[in-house]
Amino acid sequence: MAGGLAGAVAQTAIYPIDLVKTRLQTYEGGRIPSLGALSRDIWIHEGPRAFYRGLVPSLLGMVPYAGIDLTVYETLKEMSKTYILKDSDPGPLVQLGCGTVSGALGATCVYPLQVIRTRMQAQPANSEDPYRGMTDCFRRTLRREGFSGFYKGLVPNLLKVVPAASITYLVYETMKKSLSLD
C-alpha cells in the first residue's frame, strides 16, 4: 500500500511535465515551442486542469503493474530455487530472467491504460472532437481500431520497460545481499 501511495503521489506531482513532454513529442507544426511557451499556451487556452488530462488511467495502471511485476518476479524467483537451483539463491542471470518476464507481463497487462492516457494527453482541449474522458477515449479506440488499437507501440515500450525492470531487480537483490537484508 505504501509503495502504491508513494507512486501515486509522485505520478501526480510530475504529471504536468509528462503531459508537456507528450505534447512536444506529438507537436505538428512549424517551429517547436519551448517548454515554457507550450506550458503557458496550455494554461491560457485549456486551463490548469489540462495538465492532468489522462491522470486517472495512469494512476489506475500503476497499482496493477506493480502488483503483477512484483508477484511474478517473486514467484519465478522462488520457482527457480525449487525446480532449477535446488534451494540455492538465484544468480544474476536468473534474476535478470525473472525481471524480464515479470516486467514484460506487467507492462503488457496495463498497456491499454497507457495508450488511453497518452491519447488523452496528446489531444488539446480545443481540438475538433475532444475526448470527454477516459471511457469515451476507450470506446472510440475500440470502435475505430478494435482490440489491437490498445496495443499500438507495445514493442518499443517493452524495449524500454523490460531492461529497466530486469536491471532494477538485479540491483535490488545485489544491494539486499550486500547490506545483509536477506
Side-chain angles (χ1 to χ4, degrees), residues 8 13 15 21 33 58 79-80 102 119 132-133 139 168 171:
Y15 200 79
K21 174 202 69 139
S58 182
M79 287 175 66
S80 75
S102 69
R119 288 178 180 204
R132 294 181 306 273
R139 284 185 187 136
T168 299
V171 171

Side-chain angles (χ1 to χ4, degrees), residues 98-172:
C98 294
T100 295
V101 173
S102 69
L105 187 60
T108 301
C109 288
V110 301
Y111 195 71
L113 288 167
Q114 285 188 350
V115 169
I116 298 297
R117 179 204 70 206
T118 303
R119 288 178 180 204
M120 291 176 72
Q121 283 181 330
Q123 181 177 295
N126 59 0
S127 67
E128 291 178 21
D129 189 19
Y131 296 120
R132 294 181 306 273
M134 183 177 85
T135 305
D136 182 46
C137 185
F138 181 86
R139 284 185 187 136
R140 287 194 210 182
T141 301
L142 186 60
R143 185 176 63 242
R144 293 176 183 162
E145 303 168 52
F147 187 70
S148 64
F150 295 108
Y151 288 93
K152 284 184 173 178
L154 177 63
V155 171
N157 187 63
L158 290 175
L159 291 174
K160 174 185 82 169
V161 169
V162 167
S166 300
I167 293 166
T168 299
Y169 281 120
L170 178 63
V171 171
Y172 171 74

